[in-house]
Amino acid sequence: NAGVTQTPKFQVLKTGQSMTLQCAQDMNHEYMSWYRQDPGMGLRLIHYSVGAGITDQGEVPNGYNVSRSTTEDFPLRLLSAAPSQTSVYFCASSMGLVNEQYFGPGTRLTVT
Amino acid sequence: AQSVTQPDIHITVSEGASLELRCNYSYGATPYLFWYVQSPGQGLQLLLKYFSGDTLVQGIKGFEAEFKRSQSSFNLRKPSVHWSDAAEYFCAVGQETSGSRLTFGEGTQLTVNP
């Protein structure tokens, strides 16, 4: 099993550009989440999904879109990148809240 | 709303010394509590979790944590720290009704001196 994979590992964008961060898991997990990590702020939930076709907003959803067309994939789209979105982004999956969340290696995004 | 506080931003200990990292939570019902560790440039790895039952839980790498309802705390401990334990540690709290929503603390950076 590859676990949770994220691409790309690093990305630099100019303000106003759009892009999609990819996340895939091969563990048949129903739950998937996107977090951003900023110094001194821990991890903050952006969006999450409890199954294919079902998504919901987390703590900091503005400027991001998600969709969940398959169990395996949960892409995060930045619509119009802003410097405030410079961060490290983590995708995670789990069978449910009562189970361990498995994290991907992260994507480091810089918006100039 | 649930919240988590890790009062110590940075802790330094000597190798072989004991360690305690503090975590306080705010939540009305019995929470689901987790400790994760993050090595530099890596994702997060689960150390241990508490859902119910015995309030002292054992985790990987020799870590343990104790749930104290009266103090709203879930402190992480290790009797003897190794240099490889240097990392950032995150406490998290979850609620069953919100699916996979976890709230993370700000993190505690652990430095281990030789």
mmCIF file with all atom_site columns, all heavy atoms in Angstrom, chain A residues 31 33 35 37 40 42 48 90 97-98 100-101 104, chain B residues 34 36 38 43 46 51 90 95-96 99-102 105:
data_model
loop_
_atom_site.group_PDB
_atom_site.id
_atom_site.type_symbol
_atom_site.label_atom_id
_atom_site.label_alt_id
_atom_site.label_comp_id
_atom_site.label_asym_id
_atom_site.label_entity_id
_atom_site.label_seq_id
_atom_site.pdbx_PDB_ins_code
_atom_site.Cartn_x
_atom_site.Cartn_y
_atom_site.Cartn_z
_atom_site.occupancy
_atom_site.B_iso_or_equiv
_atom_site.pdbx_formal_charge
_atom_site.auth_seq_id
_atom_site.auth_comp_id
_atom_site.auth_asym_id
_atom_site.auth_atom_id
_atom_site.pdbx_PDB_model_num
ATOM 1   N N   . TYR A 1 31  ? -13.325 8.527  5.003  1.00 0.00 ? 31  TYR A N   1
ATOM 2   C CA  . TYR A 1 31  ? -13.106 9.897  5.428  1.00 0.00 ? 31  TYR A CA  1
ATOM 3   C C   . TYR A 1 31  ? -11.804 10.453 4.864  1.00 0.00 ? 31  TYR A C   1
ATOM 4   O O   . TYR A 1 31  ? -10.760 9.799  4.946  1.00 0.00 ? 31  TYR A O   1
ATOM 5   C CB  . TYR A 1 31  ? -13.051 9.985  6.956  1.00 0.00 ? 31  TYR A CB  1
ATOM 6   C CG  . TYR A 1 31  ? -14.355 9.674  7.624  1.00 0.00 ? 31  TYR A CG  1
ATOM 7   C CD1 . TYR A 1 31  ? -14.704 8.370  7.930  1.00 0.00 ? 31  TYR A CD1 1
ATOM 8   C CD2 . TYR A 1 31  ? -15.237 10.688 7.960  1.00 0.00 ? 31  TYR A CD2 1
ATOM 9   C CE1 . TYR A 1 31  ? -15.906 8.079  8.544  1.00 0.00 ? 31  TYR A CE1 1
ATOM 10  C CE2 . TYR A 1 31  ? -16.438 10.409 8.581  1.00 0.00 ? 31  TYR A CE2 1
ATOM 11  C CZ  . TYR A 1 31  ? -16.771 9.105  8.871  1.00 0.00 ? 31  TYR A CZ  1
ATOM 12  O OH  . TYR A 1 31  ? -17.958 8.836  9.479  1.00 0.00 ? 31  TYR A OH  1
ATOM 13  N N   . SER A 1 33  ? -9.612  14.398 4.468  1.00 0.00 ? 33  SER A N   1
ATOM 14  C CA  . SER A 1 33  ? -9.583  15.786 4.935  1.00 0.00 ? 33  SER A CA  1
ATOM 15  C C   . SER A 1 33  ? -8.397  16.517 4.337  1.00 0.00 ? 33  SER A C   1
ATOM 16  O O   . SER A 1 33  ? -7.382  15.895 4.006  1.00 0.00 ? 33  SER A O   1
ATOM 17  C CB  . SER A 1 33  ? -9.444  15.826 6.468  1.00 0.00 ? 33  SER A CB  1
ATOM 18  O OG  . SER A 1 33  ? -10.426 15.070 7.117  1.00 0.00 ? 33  SER A OG  1
ATOM 19  N N   . TYR A 1 35  ? -5.905  19.797 5.417  1.00 0.00 ? 35  TYR A N   1
ATOM 20  C CA  . TYR A 1 35  ? -5.476  20.726 6.445  1.00 0.00 ? 35  TYR A CA  1
ATOM 21  C C   . TYR A 1 35  ? -4.398  21.640 5.872  1.00 0.00 ? 35  TYR A C   1
ATOM 22  O O   . TYR A 1 35  ? -3.676  21.268 4.975  1.00 0.00 ? 35  TYR A O   1
ATOM 23  C CB  . TYR A 1 35  ? -4.851  19.990 7.633  1.00 0.00 ? 35  TYR A CB  1
ATOM 24  C CG  . TYR A 1 35  ? -5.777  19.066 8.390  1.00 0.00 ? 35  TYR A CG  1
ATOM 25  C CD1 . TYR A 1 35  ? -5.926  17.736 8.009  1.00 0.00 ? 35  TYR A CD1 1
ATOM 26  C CD2 . TYR A 1 35  ? -6.472  19.516 9.504  1.00 0.00 ? 35  TYR A CD2 1
ATOM 27  C CE1 . TYR A 1 35  ? -6.769  16.886 8.701  1.00 0.00 ? 35  TYR A CE1 1
ATOM 28  C CE2 . TYR A 1 35  ? -7.310  18.668 10.216 1.00 0.00 ? 35  TYR A CE2 1
ATOM 29  C CZ  . TYR A 1 35  ? -7.445  17.356 9.816  1.00 0.00 ? 35  TYR A CZ  1
ATOM 30  O OH  . TYR A 1 35  ? -8.270  16.515 10.522 1.00 0.00 ? 35  TYR A OH  1
ATOM 31  N N   . GLN A 1 37  ? -1.065  23.898 7.421  1.00 0.00 ? 37  GLN A N   1
ATOM 32  C CA  . GLN A 1 37  ? -0.228  24.067 8.609  1.00 0.00 ? 37  GLN A CA  1
ATOM 33  C C   . GLN A 1 37  ? 0.573   25.343 8.483  1.00 0.00 ? 37  GLN A C   1
ATOM 34  O O   . GLN A 1 37  ? 1.347   25.510 7.530  1.00 0.00 ? 37  GLN A O   1
ATOM 35  C CB  . GLN A 1 37  ? 0.718   22.873 8.790  1.00 0.00 ? 37  GLN A CB  1
ATOM 36  C CG  . GLN A 1 37  ? 1.554   22.969 10.049 1.00 0.00 ? 37  GLN A CG  1
ATOM 37  C CD  . GLN A 1 37  ? 2.468   21.775 10.239 1.00 0.00 ? 37  GLN A CD  1
ATOM 38  O OE1 . GLN A 1 37  ? 2.893   21.140 9.295  1.00 0.00 ? 37  GLN A OE1 1
ATOM 39  N NE2 . GLN A 1 37  ? 2.753   21.454 11.500 1.00 0.00 ? 37  GLN A NE2 1
ATOM 40  N N   . GLY A 1 40  ? 3.036   28.116 14.387 1.00 0.00 ? 40  GLY A N   1
ATOM 41  C CA  . GLY A 1 40  ? 2.362   28.573 15.592 1.00 0.00 ? 40  GLY A CA  1
ATOM 42  C C   . GLY A 1 40  ? 0.864   28.403 15.594 1.00 0.00 ? 40  GLY A C   1
ATOM 43  O O   . GLY A 1 40  ? 0.196   28.833 16.544 1.00 0.00 ? 40  GLY A O   1
ATOM 44  N N   . GLY A 1 42  ? -0.714  25.281 14.435 1.00 0.00 ? 42  GLY A N   1
ATOM 45  C CA  . GLY A 1 42  ? -1.110  23.885 14.323 1.00 0.00 ? 42  GLY A CA  1
ATOM 46  C C   . GLY A 1 42  ? -1.664  23.583 12.948 1.00 0.00 ? 42  GLY A C   1
ATOM 47  O O   . GLY A 1 42  ? -1.303  24.227 11.956 1.00 0.00 ? 42  GLY A O   1
ATOM 48  N N   . TYR A 1 48  ? -13.486 18.684 4.293  1.00 0.00 ? 48  TYR A N   1
ATOM 49  C CA  . TYR A 1 48  ? -13.426 17.260 4.536  1.00 0.00 ? 48  TYR A CA  1
ATOM 50  C C   . TYR A 1 48  ? -14.560 16.556 3.798  1.00 0.00 ? 48  TYR A C   1
ATOM 51  O O   . TYR A 1 48  ? -15.499 17.193 3.317  1.00 0.00 ? 48  TYR A O   1
ATOM 52  C CB  . TYR A 1 48  ? -13.458 16.943 6.036  1.00 0.00 ? 48  TYR A CB  1
ATOM 53  C CG  . TYR A 1 48  ? -14.752 17.262 6.726  1.00 0.00 ? 48  TYR A CG  1
ATOM 54  C CD1 . TYR A 1 48  ? -15.687 16.271 7.007  1.00 0.00 ? 48  TYR A CD1 1
ATOM 55  C CD2 . TYR A 1 48  ? -15.042 18.560 7.135  1.00 0.00 ? 48  TYR A CD2 1
ATOM 56  C CE1 . TYR A 1 48  ? -16.860 16.553 7.661  1.00 0.00 ? 48  TYR A CE1 1
ATOM 57  C CE2 . TYR A 1 48  ? -16.228 18.861 7.789  1.00 0.00 ? 48  TYR A CE2 1
ATOM 58  C CZ  . TYR A 1 48  ? -17.132 17.863 8.053  1.00 0.00 ? 48  TYR A CZ  1
ATOM 59  O OH  . TYR A 1 48  ? -18.303 18.153 8.698  1.00 0.00 ? 48  TYR A OH  1
ATOM 60  N N   . PHE A 1 90  ? -1.679  19.433 4.045  1.00 0.00 ? 90  PHE A N   1
ATOM 61  C CA  . PHE A 1 90  ? -1.697  18.001 4.314  1.00 0.00 ? 90  PHE A CA  1
ATOM 62  C C   . PHE A 1 90  ? -3.066  17.423 4.010  1.00 0.00 ? 90  PHE A C   1
ATOM 63  O O   . PHE A 1 90  ? -4.094  17.989 4.387  1.00 0.00 ? 90  PHE A O   1
ATOM 64  C CB  . PHE A 1 90  ? -1.353  17.712 5.776  1.00 0.00 ? 90  PHE A CB  1
ATOM 65  C CG  . PHE A 1 90  ? 0.083   17.949 6.114  1.00 0.00 ? 90  PHE A CG  1
ATOM 66  C CD1 . PHE A 1 90  ? 0.477   19.113 6.746  1.00 0.00 ? 90  PHE A CD1 1
ATOM 67  C CD2 . PHE A 1 90  ? 1.045   17.002 5.804  1.00 0.00 ? 90  PHE A CD2 1
ATOM 68  C CE1 . PHE A 1 90  ? 1.805   19.337 7.067  1.00 0.00 ? 90  PHE A CE1 1
ATOM 69  C CE2 . PHE A 1 90  ? 2.381   17.214 6.115  1.00 0.00 ? 90  PHE A CE2 1
ATOM 70  C CZ  . PHE A 1 90  ? 2.758   18.385 6.745  1.00 0.00 ? 90  PHE A CZ  1
ATOM 71  N N   . LEU A 1 97  ? -13.740 8.730  12.520 1.00 0.00 ? 97  LEU A N   1
ATOM 72  C CA  . LEU A 1 97  ? -13.104 9.525  13.560 1.00 0.00 ? 97  LEU A CA  1
ATOM 73  C C   . LEU A 1 97  ? -12.451 8.639  14.609 1.00 0.00 ? 97  LEU A C   1
ATOM 74  O O   . LEU A 1 97  ? -11.396 8.975  15.133 1.00 0.00 ? 97  LEU A O   1
ATOM 75  C CB  . LEU A 1 97  ? -14.126 10.429 14.238 1.00 0.00 ? 97  LEU A CB  1
ATOM 76  C CG  . LEU A 1 97  ? -13.568 11.255 15.397 1.00 0.00 ? 97  LEU A CG  1
ATOM 77  C CD1 . LEU A 1 97  ? -12.494 12.211 14.901 1.00 0.00 ? 97  LEU A CD1 1
ATOM 78  C CD2 . LEU A 1 97  ? -14.678 12.015 16.084 1.00 0.00 ? 97  LEU A CD2 1
ATOM 79  N N   . VAL A 1 98  ? -13.049 7.506  14.890 1.00 0.00 ? 98  VAL A N   1
ATOM 80  C CA  . VAL A 1 98  ? -12.522 6.662  15.942 1.00 0.00 ? 98  VAL A CA  1
ATOM 81  C C   . VAL A 1 98  ? -11.324 5.852  15.489 1.00 0.00 ? 98  VAL A C   1
ATOM 82  O O   . VAL A 1 98  ? -10.796 5.036  16.227 1.00 0.00 ? 98  VAL A O   1
ATOM 83  C CB  . VAL A 1 98  ? -13.603 5.722  16.506 1.00 0.00 ? 98  VAL A CB  1
ATOM 84  C CG1 . VAL A 1 98  ? -14.697 6.537  17.151 1.00 0.00 ? 98  VAL A CG1 1
ATOM 85  C CG2 . VAL A 1 98  ? -14.165 4.820  15.419 1.00 0.00 ? 98  VAL A CG2 1
ATOM 86  N N   . GLU A 1 100 ? -7.437  5.874  13.349 1.00 0.00 ? 100 GLU A N   1
ATOM 87  C CA  . GLU A 1 100 ? -6.275  6.706  13.089 1.00 0.00 ? 100 GLU A CA  1
ATOM 88  C C   . GLU A 1 100 ? -6.412  7.444  11.760 1.00 0.00 ? 100 GLU A C   1
ATOM 89  O O   . GLU A 1 100 ? -6.859  6.885  10.763 1.00 0.00 ? 100 GLU A O   1
ATOM 90  C CB  . GLU A 1 100 ? -5.031  5.843  13.034 1.00 0.00 ? 100 GLU A CB  1
ATOM 91  C CG  . GLU A 1 100 ? -3.765  6.572  12.648 1.00 0.00 ? 100 GLU A CG  1
ATOM 92  C CD  . GLU A 1 100 ? -2.560  5.648  12.605 1.00 0.00 ? 100 GLU A CD  1
ATOM 93  O OE1 . GLU A 1 100 ? -2.712  4.463  12.931 1.00 0.00 ? 100 GLU A OE1 1
ATOM 94  O OE2 . GLU A 1 100 ? -1.465  6.115  12.246 1.00 0.00 ? 100 GLU A OE2 1
ATOM 95  N N   . GLN A 1 101 ? -6.022  8.735  11.758 1.00 0.00 ? 101 GLN A N   1
ATOM 96  C CA  . GLN A 1 101 ? -5.914  9.477  10.512 1.00 0.00 ? 101 GLN A CA  1
ATOM 97  C C   . GLN A 1 101 ? -4.521  9.262  9.949  1.00 0.00 ? 101 GLN A C   1
ATOM 98  O O   . GLN A 1 101 ? -3.523  9.404  10.654 1.00 0.00 ? 101 GLN A O   1
ATOM 99  C CB  . GLN A 1 101 ? -6.165  10.969 10.741 1.00 0.00 ? 101 GLN A CB  1
ATOM 100 C CG  . GLN A 1 101 ? -7.616  11.305 10.994 1.00 0.00 ? 101 GLN A CG  1
ATOM 101 C CD  . GLN A 1 101 ? -8.024  12.658 10.425 1.00 0.00 ? 101 GLN A CD  1
ATOM 102 O OE1 . GLN A 1 101 ? -7.285  13.270 9.661  1.00 0.00 ? 101 GLN A OE1 1
ATOM 103 N NE2 . GLN A 1 101 ? -9.197  13.121 10.796 1.00 0.00 ? 101 GLN A NE2 1
ATOM 104 N N   . GLY A 1 104 ? -0.679  12.346 4.464  1.00 0.00 ? 104 GLY A N   1
ATOM 105 C CA  . GLY A 1 104 ? 0.261   12.378 3.366  1.00 0.00 ? 104 GLY A CA  1
ATOM 106 C C   . GLY A 1 104 ? 1.502   13.162 3.745  1.00 0.00 ? 104 GLY A C   1
ATOM 107 O O   . GLY A 1 104 ? 1.566   13.768 4.820  1.00 0.00 ? 104 GLY A O   1
ATOM 108 N N   . PHE B 2 34  ? -6.091  12.617 20.864 1.00 0.00 ? 34  PHE B N   1
ATOM 109 C CA  . PHE B 2 34  ? -5.000  12.040 20.093 1.00 0.00 ? 34  PHE B CA  1
ATOM 110 C C   . PHE B 2 34  ? -3.712  12.822 20.358 1.00 0.00 ? 34  PHE B C   1
ATOM 111 O O   . PHE B 2 34  ? -3.735  14.019 20.629 1.00 0.00 ? 34  PHE B O   1
ATOM 112 C CB  . PHE B 2 34  ? -5.288  12.129 18.583 1.00 0.00 ? 34  PHE B CB  1
ATOM 113 C CG  . PHE B 2 34  ? -6.592  11.545 18.142 1.00 0.00 ? 34  PHE B CG  1
ATOM 114 C CD1 . PHE B 2 34  ? -7.776  12.262 18.272 1.00 0.00 ? 34  PHE B CD1 1
ATOM 115 C CD2 . PHE B 2 34  ? -6.644  10.284 17.583 1.00 0.00 ? 34  PHE B CD2 1
ATOM 116 C CE1 . PHE B 2 34  ? -8.985  11.733 17.851 1.00 0.00 ? 34  PHE B CE1 1
ATOM 117 C CE2 . PHE B 2 34  ? -7.843  9.740  17.157 1.00 0.00 ? 34  PHE B CE2 1
ATOM 118 C CZ  . PHE B 2 34  ? -9.015  10.463 17.289 1.00 0.00 ? 34  PHE B CZ  1
ATOM 119 N N   . TYR B 2 36  ? -0.160  13.290 18.058 1.00 0.00 ? 36  TYR B N   1
ATOM 120 C CA  . TYR B 2 36  ? 0.560   13.022 16.824 1.00 0.00 ? 36  TYR B CA  1
ATOM 121 C C   . TYR B 2 36  ? 1.968   13.601 16.933 1.00 0.00 ? 36  TYR B C   1
ATOM 122 O O   . TYR B 2 36  ? 2.190   14.597 17.626 1.00 0.00 ? 36  TYR B O   1
ATOM 123 C CB  . TYR B 2 36  ? -0.127  13.667 15.621 1.00 0.00 ? 36  TYR B CB  1
ATOM 124 C CG  . TYR B 2 36  ? -1.384  12.975 15.142 1.00 0.00 ? 36  TYR B CG  1
ATOM 125 C CD1 . TYR B 2 36  ? -2.609  13.245 15.731 1.00 0.00 ? 36  TYR B CD1 1
ATOM 126 C CD2 . TYR B 2 36  ? -1.333  12.058 14.107 1.00 0.00 ? 36  TYR B CD2 1
ATOM 127 C CE1 . TYR B 2 36  ? -3.760  12.617 15.287 1.00 0.00 ? 36  TYR B CE1 1
ATOM 128 C CE2 . TYR B 2 36  ? -2.481  11.424 13.647 1.00 0.00 ? 36  TYR B CE2 1
ATOM 129 C CZ  . TYR B 2 36  ? -3.688  11.709 14.239 1.00 0.00 ? 36  TYR B CZ  1
ATOM 130 O OH  . TYR B 2 36  ? -4.824  11.081 13.793 1.00 0.00 ? 36  TYR B OH  1
ATOM 131 N N   . GLN B 2 38  ? 5.346   14.904 14.467 1.00 0.00 ? 38  GLN B N   1
ATOM 132 C CA  . GLN B 2 38  ? 5.773   15.308 13.131 1.00 0.00 ? 38  GLN B CA  1
ATOM 133 C C   . GLN B 2 38  ? 7.274   15.544 13.121 1.00 0.00 ? 38  GLN B C   1
ATOM 134 O O   . GLN B 2 38  ? 7.761   16.475 13.762 1.00 0.00 ? 38  GLN B O   1
ATOM 135 C CB  . GLN B 2 38  ? 5.042   16.570 12.683 1.00 0.00 ? 38  GLN B CB  1
ATOM 136 C CG  . GLN B 2 38  ? 5.379   16.987 11.261 1.00 0.00 ? 38  GLN B CG  1
ATOM 137 C CD  . GLN B 2 38  ? 4.679   18.275 10.850 1.00 0.00 ? 38  GLN B CD  1
ATOM 138 O OE1 . GLN B 2 38  ? 4.426   19.159 11.666 1.00 0.00 ? 38  GLN B OE1 1
ATOM 139 N NE2 . GLN B 2 38  ? 4.344   18.398 9.573  1.00 0.00 ? 38  GLN B NE2 1
ATOM 140 N N   . GLY B 2 43  ? 4.976   14.166 7.262  1.00 0.00 ? 43  GLY B N   1
ATOM 141 C CA  . GLY B 2 43  ? 3.592   14.252 7.700  1.00 0.00 ? 43  GLY B CA  1
ATOM 142 C C   . GLY B 2 43  ? 3.468   13.873 9.163  1.00 0.00 ? 43  GLY B C   1
ATOM 143 O O   . GLY B 2 43  ? 4.461   13.676 9.859  1.00 0.00 ? 43  GLY B O   1
ATOM 144 N N   . LEU B 2 46  ? 0.492   9.056  14.154 1.00 0.00 ? 46  LEU B N   1
ATOM 145 C CA  . LEU B 2 46  ? -0.235  8.889  15.401 1.00 0.00 ? 46  LEU B CA  1
ATOM 146 C C   . LEU B 2 46  ? 0.644   8.209  16.447 1.00 0.00 ? 46  LEU B C   1
ATOM 147 O O   . LEU B 2 46  ? 1.229   7.155  16.192 1.00 0.00 ? 46  LEU B O   1
ATOM 148 C CB  . LEU B 2 46  ? -1.492  8.056  15.174 1.00 0.00 ? 46  LEU B CB  1
ATOM 149 C CG  . LEU B 2 46  ? -2.364  7.826  16.397 1.00 0.00 ? 46  LEU B CG  1
ATOM 150 C CD1 . LEU B 2 46  ? -3.051  9.133  16.806 1.00 0.00 ? 46  LEU B CD1 1
ATOM 151 C CD2 . LEU B 2 46  ? -3.415  6.747  16.131 1.00 0.00 ? 46  LEU B CD2 1
ATOM 152 N N   . PHE B 2 51  ? -10.247 7.001  23.648 1.00 0.00 ? 51  PHE B N   1
ATOM 153 C CA  . PHE B 2 51  ? -11.672 7.127  23.344 1.00 0.00 ? 51  PHE B CA  1
ATOM 154 C C   . PHE B 2 51  ? -12.517 6.880  24.588 1.00 0.00 ? 51  PHE B C   1
ATOM 155 O O   . PHE B 2 51  ? -13.494 7.579  24.824 1.00 0.00 ? 51  PHE B O   1
ATOM 156 C CB  . PHE B 2 51  ? -12.085 6.139  22.250 1.00 0.00 ? 51  PHE B CB  1
ATOM 157 C CG  . PHE B 2 51  ? -11.392 6.368  20.942 1.00 0.00 ? 51  PHE B CG  1
ATOM 158 C CD1 . PHE B 2 51  ? -10.991 5.307  20.148 1.00 0.00 ? 51  PHE B CD1 1
ATOM 159 C CD2 . PHE B 2 51  ? -11.126 7.649  20.494 1.00 0.00 ? 51  PHE B CD2 1
ATOM 160 C CE1 . PHE B 2 51  ? -10.350 5.523  18.937 1.00 0.00 ? 51  PHE B CE1 1
ATOM 161 C CE2 . PHE B 2 51  ? -10.483 7.880  19.289 1.00 0.00 ? 51  PHE B CE2 1
ATOM 162 C CZ  . PHE B 2 51  ? -10.100 6.808  18.509 1.00 0.00 ? 51  PHE B CZ  1
ATOM 163 N N   . PHE B 2 90  ? 1.762   17.243 18.418 1.00 0.00 ? 90  PHE B N   1
ATOM 164 C CA  . PHE B 2 90  ? 0.445   17.879 18.343 1.00 0.00 ? 90  PHE B CA  1
ATOM 165 C C   . PHE B 2 90  ? -0.582  17.062 19.110 1.00 0.00 ? 90  PHE B C   1
ATOM 166 O O   . PHE B 2 90  ? -0.690  15.844 18.914 1.00 0.00 ? 90  PHE B O   1
ATOM 167 C CB  . PHE B 2 90  ? -0.014  18.002 16.883 1.00 0.00 ? 90  PHE B CB  1
ATOM 168 C CG  . PHE B 2 90  ? 0.795   18.962 16.066 1.00 0.00 ? 90  PHE B CG  1
ATOM 169 C CD1 . PHE B 2 90  ? 1.873   18.509 15.318 1.00 0.00 ? 90  PHE B CD1 1
ATOM 170 C CD2 . PHE B 2 90  ? 0.485   20.304 16.048 1.00 0.00 ? 90  PHE B CD2 1
ATOM 171 C CE1 . PHE B 2 90  ? 2.631   19.388 14.557 1.00 0.00 ? 90  PHE B CE1 1
ATOM 172 C CE2 . PHE B 2 90  ? 1.232   21.199 15.291 1.00 0.00 ? 90  PHE B CE2 1
ATOM 173 C CZ  . PHE B 2 90  ? 2.307   20.733 14.551 1.00 0.00 ? 90  PHE B CZ  1
ATOM 174 N N   . GLN B 2 95  ? -14.769 15.014 17.820 1.00 0.00 ? 95  GLN B N   1
ATOM 175 C CA  . GLN B 2 95  ? -16.109 14.698 18.287 1.00 0.00 ? 95  GLN B CA  1
ATOM 176 C C   . GLN B 2 95  ? -16.766 13.792 17.265 1.00 0.00 ? 95  GLN B C   1
ATOM 177 O O   . GLN B 2 95  ? -16.659 14.031 16.071 1.00 0.00 ? 95  GLN B O   1
ATOM 178 C CB  . GLN B 2 95  ? -16.934 15.967 18.510 1.00 0.00 ? 95  GLN B CB  1
ATOM 179 C CG  . GLN B 2 95  ? -16.949 16.944 17.339 1.00 0.00 ? 95  GLN B CG  1
ATOM 180 C CD  . GLN B 2 95  ? -17.737 18.195 17.656 1.00 0.00 ? 95  GLN B CD  1
ATOM 181 O OE1 . GLN B 2 95  ? -18.332 18.309 18.721 1.00 0.00 ? 95  GLN B OE1 1
ATOM 182 N NE2 . GLN B 2 95  ? -17.749 19.141 16.740 1.00 0.00 ? 95  GLN B NE2 1
ATOM 183 N N   . GLU B 2 96  ? -17.450 12.774 17.730 1.00 0.00 ? 96  GLU B N   1
ATOM 184 C CA  . GLU B 2 96  ? -17.990 11.742 16.855 1.00 0.00 ? 96  GLU B CA  1
ATOM 185 C C   . GLU B 2 96  ? -19.014 12.293 15.891 1.00 0.00 ? 96  GLU B C   1
ATOM 186 O O   . GLU B 2 96  ? -19.111 11.866 14.763 1.00 0.00 ? 96  GLU B O   1
ATOM 187 C CB  . GLU B 2 96  ? -18.605 10.627 17.686 1.00 0.00 ? 96  GLU B CB  1
ATOM 188 C CG  . GLU B 2 96  ? -18.960 9.400  16.869 1.00 0.00 ? 96  GLU B CG  1
ATOM 189 C CD  . GLU B 2 96  ? -19.451 8.286  17.764 1.00 0.00 ? 96  GLU B CD  1
ATOM 190 O OE1 . GLU B 2 96  ? -20.064 8.586  18.797 1.00 0.00 ? 96  GLU B OE1 1
ATOM 191 O OE2 . GLU B 2 96  ? -19.218 7.115  17.431 1.00 0.00 ? 96  GLU B OE2 1
ATOM 192 N N   . GLY B 2 99  ? -17.974 13.630 12.096 1.00 0.00 ? 99  GLY B N   1
ATOM 193 C CA  . GLY B 2 99  ? -17.218 12.831 11.155 1.00 0.00 ? 99  GLY B CA  1
ATOM 194 C C   . GLY B 2 99  ? -15.746 12.837 11.493 1.00 0.00 ? 99  GLY B C   1
ATOM 195 O O   . GLY B 2 99  ? -15.358 12.535 12.601 1.00 0.00 ? 99  GLY B O   1
ATOM 196 N N   . SER B 2 100 ? -14.939 13.226 10.547 1.00 0.00 ? 100 SER B N   1
ATOM 197 C CA  . SER B 2 100 ? -13.504 13.152 10.773 1.00 0.00 ? 100 SER B CA  1
ATOM 198 C C   . SER B 2 100 ? -12.912 14.481 11.195 1.00 0.00 ? 100 SER B C   1
ATOM 199 O O   . SER B 2 100 ? -11.753 14.738 10.984 1.00 0.00 ? 100 SER B O   1
ATOM 200 C CB  . SER B 2 100 ? -12.811 12.678 9.508  1.00 0.00 ? 100 SER B CB  1
ATOM 201 O OG  . SER B 2 100 ? -13.006 13.622 8.469  1.00 0.00 ? 100 SER B OG  1
ATOM 202 N N   . ARG B 2 101 ? -13.702 15.346 11.787 1.00 0.00 ? 101 ARG B N   1
ATOM 203 C CA  . ARG B 2 101 ? -13.178 16.647 12.137 1.00 0.00 ? 101 ARG B CA  1
ATOM 204 C C   . ARG B 2 101 ? -12.371 16.569 13.419 1.00 0.00 ? 101 ARG B C   1
ATOM 205 O O   . ARG B 2 101 ? -12.865 16.228 14.471 1.00 0.00 ? 101 ARG B O   1
ATOM 206 C CB  . ARG B 2 101 ? -14.323 17.640 12.309 1.00 0.00 ? 101 ARG B CB  1
ATOM 207 C CG  . ARG B 2 101 ? -15.135 17.843 11.044 1.00 0.00 ? 101 ARG B CG  1
ATOM 208 C CD  . ARG B 2 101 ? -16.156 18.929 11.202 1.00 0.00 ? 101 ARG B CD  1
ATOM 209 N NE  . ARG B 2 101 ? -15.526 20.237 11.381 1.00 0.00 ? 101 ARG B NE  1
ATOM 210 C CZ  . ARG B 2 101 ? -16.169 21.368 11.263 1.00 0.00 ? 101 ARG B CZ  1
ATOM 211 N NH1 . ARG B 2 101 ? -17.467 21.383 10.976 1.00 0.00 ? 101 ARG B NH1 1
ATOM 212 N NH2 . ARG B 2 101 ? -15.557 22.519 11.447 1.00 0.00 ? 101 ARG B NH2 1
ATOM 213 N N   . LEU B 2 102 ? -11.109 16.897 13.288 1.00 0.00 ? 102 LEU B N   1
ATOM 214 C CA  . LEU B 2 102 ? -10.230 17.014 14.441 1.00 0.00 ? 102 LEU B CA  1
ATOM 215 C C   . LEU B 2 102 ? -9.828  18.475 14.608 1.00 0.00 ? 102 LEU B C   1
ATOM 216 O O   . LEU B 2 102 ? -9.648  19.187 13.622 1.00 0.00 ? 102 LEU B O   1
ATOM 217 C CB  . LEU B 2 102 ? -8.963  16.183 14.261 1.00 0.00 ? 102 LEU B CB  1
ATOM 218 C CG  . LEU B 2 102 ? -9.075  14.667 14.279 1.00 0.00 ? 102 LEU B CG  1
ATOM 219 C CD1 . LEU B 2 102 ? -7.691  14.043 14.220 1.00 0.00 ? 102 LEU B CD1 1
ATOM 220 C CD2 . LEU B 2 102 ? -9.814  14.180 15.503 1.00 0.00 ? 102 LEU B CD2 1
ATOM 221 N N   . GLY B 2 105 ? -4.040  21.283 18.450 1.00 0.00 ? 105 GLY B N   1
ATOM 222 C CA  . GLY B 2 105 ? -3.361  22.330 19.193 1.00 0.00 ? 105 GLY B CA  1
ATOM 223 C C   . GLY B 2 105 ? -2.273  22.960 18.338 1.00 0.00 ? 105 GLY B C   1
ATOM 224 O O   . GLY B 2 105 ? -2.017  22.537 17.207 1.00 0.00 ? 105 GLY B O   1
#
